Amino acid sequence: MSSMTTQSQDPTGAEIVVRALKDHGVRHIFGYPGGAVLPIYDALFQDDAIEHILVRHEQGAAHAAEGYARSTGKPGVILVTSGPGATNAVTGLTDALMDSIPLICITGQVPTHLIGTDAFQEADTVGITRPCTKHNVLVRDVKDLPRILHEAFYIATFGRPGPVLIDIPKDVQFRRAPYVGPSNIRHRTYQPRLKGDLKKIEQALEMIAAAKKPVFYTGGGVINSGKLASHLLREFVRMTGFPITSTLMGLGAYPANDPQWLGMLGMHGTYEANLAMHDCDLMIAVGARFDDRVTGRLDAFSPNSKKIHIDIDPSSINKTVRADVGIVGDVAHVLDDMIRLWRARQLRVDGAALSAWKLQIDGWRARKCLAYKTSNDVIKPQQAIERLYELTKGRTTYISTEVGQHQMWAAQFYKFDEPNRWMTSGGLGTMGYGLPAAVGIQVAHRDALVIDIAGEASVQMVMQELSTAVQFDLPIKVFILNNKYMGMVRQWQQLLHGGRYSHSYSEALPDFVKLAEAYGVVGLRATKPEELDDRIREMINTNRPVLFDCVVDQMENCYPMIPSGAAHNEMILNDNSEEAAVSEAGKVLV
Amino acid sequence: MSTPKRDEPKSAYFLVDQKDREIRTTFCVLVDNEAGVLARVVGLFAGRGYNIESLTVAEVDHLDRTSRITIVTSGTPAVLEQIRHQLERLVPVHKVFDLTAEHPGIERELALVKVAGTGEKRVEALRLSDAFRARVIDTTHSSFVFEVTGSAGKLDAFIDLMKPLGLVEVSRTGVVAISRGAEAM
Ligand SMILES: Cc1ncc(C[n+]2csc(CCOP(=O)(O)OP(=O)(O)O)c2C)c(N)n1
Ligand SMILES: [Mg+2]
């Protein structure tokens, strides 16, 4: 150890961790113990200020922390051991990086002198997680620990949020050093820009005033920017009267029950949203990143529009789609300036053009692209979500999802009117996200109704977290749309691979009701349309975790769908339109 | 042939043909000299499929503990803009400077070139080294080690000329670069 004076009354590294967490207002952490983090667990044991939620798998801890973070706007914290503990968390870290979720991940590491010797449960954690974290650090000296912890919170939450990992060798957890509080942390190099360039904002406003066929295209950045951003977005969108669509990650920032709302866009977006994007003459992208699931075929993406792009991450601007005006800044800051300058300069939109544009959009809406046929014998998955929405809409409800058709139906049919109520794995598309995310959400919102809309395949990936829900009295509802298929895979195989259903049937499914009983949660099942409402009510009124087996039509496809290498205006709307639409394709990748 | 014809597999991804021409560019990156910083930069290039033609790194301010990384890469203008922004996203990066686009710069590289031979060839190697202003920094009766500095192209030319004269081994530093004029990056 260095010669700098450390006194026996100084805290240990482990105690420093707990103090720093408290100083950053952390109330809950999600974790799993092991040899390399025992000192930190010991420090937690002696302190009641932080509630530790013991998960059943480190991936569960990471997704739970994501759900916690996304539903509160605060960073989620996880604590896992070295080696397998760290590697198990990798999927969750990657998921958080892709969706810009602030996480702090503390991993134990073998003692400093054993690093590099292939010690028991040693893994090169910072090496493994370098590409799947916003930043990561191996702490070699306990004196650096307070600063590193404070900087981690700053980096995870400031600018475009993301996961930060701190790897702490066991000897560093035992050693002592003075604790330094978090005041005035400002990182040496990392200082993202929050305020947008006013000249560019003015230029954008002129384009907005001149637009004849405008559309707002908003994304997860609005949610990440905070409640104020959603508020300002609503204000500005209403001031202009422009139509608005959003990505999967941005749902809830603008109320789905508003007449200007077009629904979600992208591969499974609505006809009206995608055609408005295709035909617009001005696109105002706010905190959205032109993901390939949104743009479809790039060379045919919105060919006649000028594009304004607001994003806090300069690398998002011009990455895949060229912006005519790129504004780097935080959404709330930029919208605030836009509204202020719009008023100050007394700008007006082109009302006549806008009316004509809205008429055109109404024509697209009239196609009723989300319509589906109900049946007397079998529950349609869309119907299940619609009923779930109708029966829960008056409550404070948080929805998470797994990945697949059910996720897209949830996005299409559950109407979100508030930000932070919708938690889904967008960028990484991680099956197994929804159940642990629901655990995390419920930890943060004890009295709310928290529902994981799941598929029977996805839910089995991190299912063991039901046990966590039981242990901590978290009455999460897992609503499984059970189509006995990896439905999204089956749909692609049907539409893109000649109906060869290679390994997409969910063989040997468990009896979910019995499984529920084994876990000590309530099992419910609905198989007939007439049972649906009563069972959903029963689920809502049960103040314990529920595993709901909603048996639905096996062969239902999720439409609209933008097929192979197609543009926004070449959507498949239903089972009968597929031939014509897919035939042009043939460009292969994955 | 009578193999059953399967329809072509399709995908919801699409391929695009790259139309823009690739440009060679030199980036100078000022970073905190902390553990793993080079791995972050190299990992970024590997992970996102950017190529590295040359890379050099050394601490340039011992008090402030900052290092300067010089990377020669090539890509379309859009890719180069991405590389720059992606570098700026790395937490320990202070500053990124594009020496090709923003400011004309000067590039230098140093090579140590070992040439073995006797008689006519040995004399010719020495004569040519003089023309390139290379210095002899080690010599035996049958070999020279030349130190030669210049642009990467000049080093290439020198090494090419040494090949028929008994070139044995080459060690190069990679390119370092700085902008012309009075200002710092
Ligand atoms: C971890 C992981 N593995 C594989 C996939 C590929 N994948 C996407 S959707 C899907 C099927 C999901 O089936 P299910 O959960 O039953 O949902 P459904 O589509 O039937 O609603 C698969 C395998 C994925 N997204 N994540
Ligand atoms: Mg399924």
Side-chain angles (χ1 to χ4, degrees):
Chain A
M1 276 214 49
S2 78
S3 58
M4 239 184 87
T5 47
T6 52
Q7 322 231 300
S8 59
Q9 65 266 36
D10 281 341
T12 64
E15 288 161 354
I16 288 172
V17 169
V18 175
R19 266 179 80 169
L21 294 182
K22 286 199 289 189
D23 281 353
H24 287 277
V26 174
R27 300 287 318 283
H28 302 96
I29 65 176
F30 302 88
Y32 208 89
V37 277
L38 284 183
I40 299 176
Y41 270 87
D42 206 27
L44 277 175
F45 190 77
Q46 297 168 44
D47 200 305
D48 308 323
I50 296 174
E51 189 185 3
H52 176 272
I53 309 294
L54 177 69
V55 295
R56 299 299 184 266
H57 186 295
E58 289 86 352
Q59 183 184 350
H63 293 324
E66 286 187 89
Y68 186 93
R70 223 179 149 71
S71 67
T72 59
K74 292 190 278 189
V77 181
I78 72 175
L79 172 62
V80 300
T81 195
S82 66
T87 55
N88 272 351
V90 163
T91 302
L93 294 172
T94 312
D95 194 90
L97 183 70
M98 290 290 271
D99 284 344
S100 310
I101 313 290
L103 290 193
I104 305 289
C105 175
I106 296 168
T107 52
Q109 182 55 278
V110 301
T112 321
H113 66 278
L114 287 182
I115 290 178
T117 65
D118 302 316
F120 178 63
Q121 295 196 326
E122 179 185 358
D124 175 7
T125 301
V126 289
I128 290 169
T129 61
R130 204 173 280 130
C132 66
T133 51
K134 183 174 175 186
H135 193 53
N136 65 10
V137 193
L138 169 66
V139 184
R140 291 177 175 278
D141 187 337
V142 68
K143 288 197 298 302
D144 297 331
L145 186 57
R147 175 184 56 80
I148 289 172
L149 285 159
H150 302 322
E151 283 182 1
F153 276 89
Y154 170 81
I155 293 167
T157 53
F158 207 63
R160 181 174 179 176
V164 176
L165 180 141
I166 307 165
D167 200 25
I168 313 179
K170 194 167 180 181
D171 55 329
V172 174
Q173 298 172 33
F174 278 127
R175 289 200 170 132
R176 293 178 185 275
Y179 178 72
V180 190
S183 56
N184 308 323
I185 11 163
R186 185 141 187 276
H187 197 270
R188 227 158 91 89
T189 51
Y190 184 68
Q191 285 147 22
R193 164 178 193 150
L194 298 179
K195 256 185 97 67
D197 179 341
L198 285 179
K199 277 214 186 62
K200 290 191 172 169
I201 290 178
E202 301 237 350
Q203 208 183 330
L205 290 179
E206 264 151 37
M207 288 158 78
I208 289 171
K212 306 224 174 303
K213 298 165 138 205
V215 64
F216 278 96
Y217 150 52
T218 64
V222 183
I223 313 266
N224 279 335
S225 174
K227 290 239 183 333
L228 178 64
S230 295
H231 176 79
L232 294 170
L233 176 74
R234 289 164 190 219
E235 190 174 339
F236 193 50
V237 170
R238 286 183 183 138
M239 278 165 68
T240 57
F242 290 177
I244 171 170
T245 178
S246 151
T247 66
L248 182 72
M249 298 310 290
L251 297 178
Y254 195 84
N257 284 306
D258 187 277
Q260 282 166 256
W261 175 245
L262 299 174
M264 180 177 77
L265 85 165
M267 182 171 273
H268 293 289
T270 65
Y271 190 66
E272 50 271 31
N274 284 335
L275 283 196
M277 288 288 280
H278 190 267
D279 278 12
C280 66
D281 73 346
L282 178 68
M283 181 184 299
I284 309 150
V286 188
R289 62 183 177 88
F290 295 91
D291 177 83
D292 59 273
R293 297 289 122 142
V294 158
T295 60
R297 190 189 168 114
L298 268 181
D299 55 5
F301 174 68
S302 194
N304 305 314
S305 63
K306 291 241 183 289
K307 294 163 190 87
I308 298 167
H309 191 179
I310 303 166
D311 205 293
I312 196 152
D313 180 356
S315 79
S316 284
I317 294 171
N318 294 337
K319 182 164 64 179
T320 54
V321 171
R322 204 85 212 152
D324 296 279
V325 176
I327 302 171
V328 176
D330 168 62
V331 168
H333 284 78
V334 174
L335 286 178
D336 194 37
D337 280 336
M338 285 183 124
I339 293 170
R340 191 173 50 77
L341 290 172
W342 182 266
R343 290 215 171 100
R345 296 184 46 187
Q346 301 188 325
L347 291 167
R348 295 272 171 281
V349 300
D350 182 340
L354 192 58
S355 302
W357 174 230
K358 285 186 166 170
L359 226 69
Q360 192 178 354
I361 290 175
D362 284 342
W364 294 327
R365 281 192 209 265
R367 289 289 293 264
K368 298 213 175 308
C369 66
L370 295 179
Y372 60 93
K373 284 197 193 74
T374 51
S375 127
N376 288 331
D377 327 310
V378 53
I379 300 171
K380 290 288 181 172
Q382 301 95 322
Q383 176 185 19
I385 307 283
E386 273 194 316
R387 294 314 301 156
L388 186 69
Y389 171 67
E390 288 301 328
L391 295 168
T392 57
K393 66 181 176 188
R395 298 162 185 267
T396 311
T397 308
Y398 292 80
I399 302 286
S400 69
T401 75
E402 308 292 336
V403 171
Q405 290 179 319
H406 63 276
Q407 175 190 31
M408 292 299 120
W409 282 316
Q412 291 173 338
F413 289 93
Y414 203 99
K415 297 193 167 63
F416 296 92
D417 285 338
E418 295 297 330
N420 307 95
R421 296 294 181 86
W422 162 249
M423 270 52 60
T424 193
S425 170
L428 196 63
T430 312
M431 293 169 70
Y433 167 88
L435 197 160
V439 166
I441 299 163
Q442 192 87 70
V443 166
H445 310 274
R446 285 273 172 180
D447 300 324
L449 179 61
V450 180
I451 306 172
D452 169 30
I453 296 178
E456 84 294 335
S458 298
V459 78
Q460 293 187 78
M461 285 214 171
V462 195
M463 159 137 257
Q464 67 280 15
E465 299 306 329
L466 266 184
S467 181
T468 309
V470 172
Q471 180 179 344
F472 293 91
D473 281 327
L474 303 167
I476 61 167
K477 317 292 184 242
V478 182
F479 189 74
I480 304 171
L481 294 187
N482 184 351
N483 54 10
K484 300 197 172 66
Y485 273 101
M486 298 171 197
M488 189 57 92
V489 173
R490 189 202 54 70
Q491 173 169 347
W492 281 41
Q493 288 172 334
Q494 180 189 334
L495 300 179
L496 307 171
H497 292 269
R500 294 178 293 277
Y501 298 137
S502 180
H503 301 279
S504 53
Y505 184 65
S506 289
E507 290 280 353
L509 277 177
D511 178 330
F512 285 111
V513 173
K514 283 194 184 144
L515 190 61
E517 281 158 20
Y519 271 110
V521 307
V522 176
L524 295 175
R525 177 174 292 127
T527 52
K528 294 267 169 294
E530 66 268 19
E531 298 173 328
L532 189 57
D533 278 22
D534 282 350
R535 283 298 178 309
I536 291 176
R537 279 198 198 92
E538 199 178 336
M539 173 180 89
I540 297 168
N541 293 328
T542 305
N543 195 22
R544 287 170 54 202
V546 175
L547 195 58
F548 190 123
D549 186 15
C550 186
V551 181
V552 298
D553 190 344
Q554 293 188 12
M555 299 309 268
E556 191 71 18
N557 284 334
C558 183
Y559 295 119
M561 178 179 180
I562 300 180
S564 317
H568 273 172
N569 58 348
E570 304 173 273
M571 257 168 290
I572 311 178
L573 285 178
N574 54 52
D575 277 329
N576 306 323
S577 58
E578 75 207 35
E579 265 319 306
V582 180
S583 60
E584 196 268 336
K587 297 166 182 168
V588 194
L589 197 73
V590 181
Chain B
M1 288 248 302
S2 63
T3 41
K5 192 169 161 267
R6 281 170 57 135
D7 49 26
E8 245 186 282
K10 301 172 182 102
S11 163
Y13 286 90
F14 52 91
L15 293 173
V16 276
D17 297 323
Q18 182 195 297
K19 288 173 226 104
D20 292 344
R21 224 165 44 84
E22 293 206 344
I23 310 169
R24 180 181 176 280
T25 288
T26 307
F27 285 107
C28 296
V29 190
L30 216 57
V31 299
D32 272 341
N33 184 14
E34 59 180 38
V37 64
L38 187 59
R40 276 181 221 287
V41 170
V42 172
L44 170 73
F45 275 71
R48 293 191 181 259
Y50 310 141
N51 54 337
I52 297 180
E53 284 167 23
S54 159
L55 178 134
T56 63
V57 54
E59 192 169 87
V60 288
D61 187 333
H62 300 307
L63 276 182
D64 220 23
R65 307 233 41 199
T66 44
S67 292
R68 184 170 172 127
I69 301 177
T70 310
I71 307 170
V72 181
T73 182
S74 53
T76 62
V79 166
L80 295 177
E81 186 185 337
Q82 260 303 297
I83 293 178
R84 186 207 173 106
H85 287 312
Q86 292 295 347
L87 283 167
E88 283 169 342
R89 246 154 68 105
L90 298 177
V91 168
V93 167
H94 286 259
K95 218 172 201 184
V96 182
F97 201 75
D98 179 339
L99 266 192
T100 314
E102 282 163 51
H103 256 287
I106 318 163
E107 297 184 1
R108 285 293 177 271
E109 186 176 0
L110 184 146
L112 303 179
V113 181
K114 186 178 287 186
V115 180
T118 50
E120 252 324 284
K121 286 190 173 170
R122 184 172 161 81
V123 177
E124 177 67 357
L126 197 61
R127 203 183 58 75
L128 283 171
S129 75
D130 202 40
F132 277 79
R133 273 180 245 160
R135 296 199 301 143
V136 176
I137 56 173
D138 178 74
T139 181
T140 67
H141 290 303
S142 59
S143 72
F144 289 119
V145 173
F146 296 112
E147 175 198 306
V148 56
T149 313
S151 69
K154 172 182 162 184
L155 303 197
D156 288 343
F158 181 70
I159 290 162
D160 272 350
L161 285 171
M162 289 300 125
K163 273 182 190 153
L165 304 178
L167 181 72
V168 173
E169 198 177 341
V170 179
S171 178
R172 295 172 68 151
T173 57
V175 171
V176 290
I178 203 158
S179 63
R180 289 182 186 276
E183 288 101 59
M185 78 178 244

